[in-house]
Amino acid sequence: MKIFEPQKEGDPDKDTGRLEAFSDGVFAIAITLLVLDIKLPKAADLGQDRSLLDAVLDSWPIFLAYFTSFLTVLVMWVNHHNIFKIVRKADQAFLLLNGLLLMFVTLVPFPTALLAEYLNKRGEITAGIIYCGTYLLIALIFNLLWRYASYHNRLLVKDVNPSYVQAINRQYLFGPVLYLACVVVAFFSAIIAFLITLGLAIFFALPLNAFSLPQPENKPG
């Protein structure tokens, strides 16, 4: 199923190149900053009864937080890329909304480091709420960005497939609701809320046609 009729190279109707390049750069920086929280175990800290393997295994919250946030930001970038496949232009409001989205994307390393530090410690509930709350805000802004662009096909390419637009609409409805549920869970268990965010990243990594695009009818003969 076609998403839209292919645009010709250099088509003046498609003028989001600079915006996409800027956004890609911000996503790349945000996803790179996540690794800075992974600290090298110091030999002086091992002592006589603690091996290097013990030190690495004791850092499991940091690695889990890194993996979850890396996957989540990666999926955000993929969905951002999918939106821009069918966005042909950007007005000032769209630019500001995209900038607001990127602001919270670059914030992700902070709640990631916060949760990695306080998981299984005093303060983990607060850290879990901040972590899930950050993703809730991102999901809300992502929806706002998409709804603004797709309202009456305001900023979309010509001949866009309506089924594709509706598929994105349906998938994005889940985001704020599920992340809000994650925030609620964080009030009771930070680790469960943490694992829910990992599951949500996997869910949003699914291609649209896995569950929402209509399948072509089988024609006889």
Side-chain angles (χ1 to χ4, degrees), residues 158-201:
K158 298 176 182 178
D159 302 320
V160 64
N161 188 329
S163 296
Y164 188 79
V165 174
Q166 291 303 315
I168 297 178
N169 287 340
R170 287 191 292 270
Q171 188 188 43
Y172 281 16
L173 281 175
F174 290 107
V177 176
L178 294 175
Y179 281 113
L180 177 59
C182 185
V183 171
V184 174
V185 171
F187 277 93
F188 304 96
S189 174
I191 185 63
I192 293 178
F194 194 14
L195 295 176
I196 290 174
T197 61
L198 177 58
L200 291 179

Side-chain angles (χ1 to χ4, degrees), residues 147-164:
R147 305 292 172 180
Y148 179 83
S150 62
Y151 182 71
H152 293 321
N153 288 2
R154 174 168 24 207
L155 303 178
L156 304 187
V157 296
K158 298 176 182 178
D159 302 320
V160 64
N161 188 329
S163 296
Y164 188 79

Side-chain angles (χ1 to χ4, degrees), residues 19-31 69-85 98 101-102 105 138 142 172 204-205:
L19 179 57
E20 292 176 63
F22 173 73
S23 300
D24 287 349
V26 173
F27 273 102
I29 292 171
I31 211 167
S69 292
F70 188 101
L71 180 59
T72 302
V73 175
L74 175 62
V75 171
M76 288 180 203
W77 174 78
V78 170
N79 284 316
H80 190 270
H81 175 70
N82 288 337
I83 286 178
F84 275 86
K85 285 180 180 179
N98 190 73
L101 173 67
L102 296 178
V105 168
I138 291 174
F142 228 123
Y172 281 16
F204 286 111

Side-chain angles (χ1 to χ4, degrees), residues 5-221:
E5 293 299 322
Q7 301 288 304
K8 295 180 180 179
E9 185 176 356
D11 192 330
D13 288 338
K14 181 75 171 171
D15 66 352
T16 60
R18 290 184 63 192
L19 179 57
E20 292 176 63
F22 173 73
S23 300
D24 287 349
V26 173
F27 273 102
I29 292 171
I31 211 167
T32 302
L33 290 175
L34 292 171
V35 77
L36 298 182
D37 193 50
I38 300 178
K39 306 300 182 184
L40 183 69
K42 301 294 184 180
D45 298 331
L46 295 181
Q48 296 181 347
D49 300 326
R50 192 164 179 252
S51 67
L52 177 58
L53 180 59
D54 291 333
V56 172
L57 293 178
D58 287 344
S59 299
W60 69 265
I62 297 175
F63 288 105
L64 181 59
Y66 168 77
F67 176 77
T68 302
S69 292
F70 188 101
L71 180 59
T72 302
V73 175
L74 175 62
V75 171
M76 288 180 203
W77 174 78
V78 170
N79 284 316
H80 190 270
H81 175 70
N82 288 337
I83 286 178
F84 275 86
K85 285 180 180 179
I86 56 176
V87 170
R88 65 181 173 86
K89 64 179 182 179
D91 59 16
Q92 186 170 356
F94 186 81
L95 289 172
L96 292 173
L97 287 172
N98 190 73
L100 185 62
L101 173 67
L102 296 178
M103 180 181 74
F104 281 99
V105 168
T106 57
L107 184 64
V108 167
F110 170 72
T112 300
L114 195 68
L115 187 58
E117 175 65 26
Y118 285 94
L119 199 62
N120 283 339
K121 299 175 185 176
R122 182 180 179 184
E124 69 171 356
I125 295 298
T126 300
I129 293 169
I130 294 173
Y131 185 79
C132 295
T134 301
Y135 287 134
L136 173 60
L137 288 173
I138 291 174
L140 289 170
I141 299 168
F142 228 123
N143 266 270
L144 188 58
L145 179 75
W146 166 247
R147 305 292 172 180
Y148 179 83
S150 62
Y151 182 71
H152 293 321
N153 288 2
R154 174 168 24 207
L155 303 178
L156 304 187
V157 296
K158 298 176 182 178
D159 302 320
V160 64
N161 188 329
S163 296
Y164 188 79
V165 174
Q166 291 303 315
I168 297 178
N169 287 340
R170 287 191 292 270
Q171 188 188 43
Y172 281 16
L173 281 175
F174 290 107
V177 176
L178 294 175
Y179 281 113
L180 177 59
C182 185
V183 171
V184 174
V185 171
F187 277 93
F188 304 96
S189 174
I191 185 63
I192 293 178
F194 194 14
L195 295 176
I196 290 174
T197 61
L198 177 58
L200 291 179
I202 296 172
F203 170 76
F204 286 111
L206 295 174
L208 286 172
N209 59 6
F211 60 92
S212 53
L213 277 179
Q215 299 299 314
E217 296 180 1
N218 293 324
K219 297 182 179 180

